[in-house]
Amino acid sequence: RKEVEQDPGPFNVPEGATVAFNCTYSNSASQSFFWYRQDCRKEPKLLMSVYSSGNEDGRFTAQLNRASQYISLLIRDSKLSDSATYLCVVGSGGYQKVTFGTGTKLQVIP
Amino acid sequence: GAVVSQHPSRVICKSGTSVKIECRSLDFQATTMFWYRQFPKQSLMLMATSNEGSKATYEQGVEKDKFLINHASLTLSTLTVTSAHPEDSSFYICSARGVGNQETQYFGPGTRLLVL
């Protein structure tokens, strides 16, 4: 089983739609969770950290389910500019390394 | 946000040559820097972790004698691909983690290496 698993997609959604991605992780000792966004041929950029209680940043909502070992990202009112690959990132906390998922590709269609 | 630069952004070289890639944290001190490699349509794979002033820790399957990492200061880490071969062609990305910020990684723009 991979350490971090994501549905590669692509998810093709119309503008204005709500879309959700899940990501599962295998290490129950994981402590830090992030969503990164990567545009084609560019470096990943931090979208948001994921906190135990769930957190929201504008149209983006992230949630963590420790019991089932998954995190989710919800995007409301999708924009064309949201088209990108979304990477789930899991770390064991502190100074430990993080592990990237393979990413979920989102394509928002006009 | 924190800025990380990489140089060069793109390099084409002949098989057998060595290529050096620089990663700099421009506005913060990076106690730890990471080097990743990403092949087309694949995830970022961590190659090694480097801490300032100490030897890098390499991931399983990454040859330390082929991928030389030097982290001589709190703002600079270098990756040298020695005797590069076509299979080393990839997108190399560094990231830096700042003092006091133990979890967030800031990524450089990446270096595209093509070995002919």
Side-chain angles (χ1 to χ4, degrees):
Chain A
R1 183 184 173 186
K2 289 182 181 177
E3 287 187 62
V4 179
E5 288 201 73
Q6 290 183 255
D7 181 343
F11 284 61
N12 297 313
V13 302
E15 267 187 291
T18 295
V19 61
F21 310 133
N22 278 347
C23 163
T24 58
Y25 60 94
S26 60
N27 184 355
S28 59
S30 299
Q31 296 181 31
S32 53
F33 309 90
F34 310 88
W35 284 102
Y36 277 74
R37 168 195 171 127
Q38 185 174 25
D39 292 288
C40 187
R41 300 173 72 83
K42 299 280 189 179
E43 78 278 18
K45 293 190 176 176
L46 179 65
L47 181 64
M48 58 197 304
S49 302
V50 186
Y51 302 118
S52 297
S53 55
N55 48 299
E56 189 174 302
D57 182 2
R59 298 181 293 108
F60 300 85
T61 301
Q63 292 199 312
L64 167 65
N65 185 316
R66 284 191 184 274
S68 300
Q69 294 182 205
Y70 76 84
I71 65 171
S72 63
L73 176 67
L74 181 79
I75 305 175
R76 289 181 298 278
D77 188 23
S78 299
K79 311 288 185 192
L80 294 176
S81 56
D82 294 333
S83 298
T85 296
Y86 290 83
L87 304 172
C88 169
V89 181
V90 176
S92 28
Y95 291 98
Q96 299 303 310
K97 65 181 183 181
V98 297
T99 301
F100 283 78
T102 51
T104 297
K105 187 171 182 179
L106 171 66
Q107 185 70 45
V108 181
I109 305 165
Chain B
V3 179
V4 176
S5 70
Q6 261 183 262
H7 178 79
S9 58
R10 185 184 298 268
V11 59
I12 301 173
C13 68
K14 291 182 179 179
S15 185
T17 59
S18 293
V19 176
K20 180 190 267 189
I21 303 170
E22 292 186 351
C23 177
R24 293 181 185 272
S25 54
L26 298 184
D27 53 359
F28 67 103
Q29 292 184 324
T31 51
T32 305
M33 287 186 171
F34 302 88
W35 286 96
Y36 294 85
R37 181 166 53 180
Q38 186 176 34
F39 292 105
K41 299 187 179 182
Q42 295 188 24
S43 66
L44 277 79
M45 296 301 295
L46 179 65
M47 298 175 68
T49 302
S50 75
N51 293 297
E52 185 265 338
S54 62
K55 288 184 179 179
T57 302
Y58 290 81
E59 295 300 299
Q60 192 172 13
V62 179
E63 299 175 56
K64 63 179 181 181
D65 294 329
K66 179 169 180 66
F67 299 98
L68 302 178
I69 291 173
N70 185 291
H71 192 161
S73 76
L74 284 172
T75 60
L76 173 65
S77 176
T78 60
L79 167 68
T80 300
V81 183
T82 61
S83 187
H85 291 286
E87 58 266 29
D88 298 322
S89 299
S90 187
F91 189 40
Y92 291 85
I93 309 177
C94 73
S95 71
R97 178 181 276 163
V99 176
N101 188 340
Q102 299 180 5
E103 299 186 342
T104 301
Q105 293 185 30
Y106 300 96
F107 285 85
T111 297
R112 293 207 173 275
L113 171 63
L114 176 61
V115 185
L116 301 176

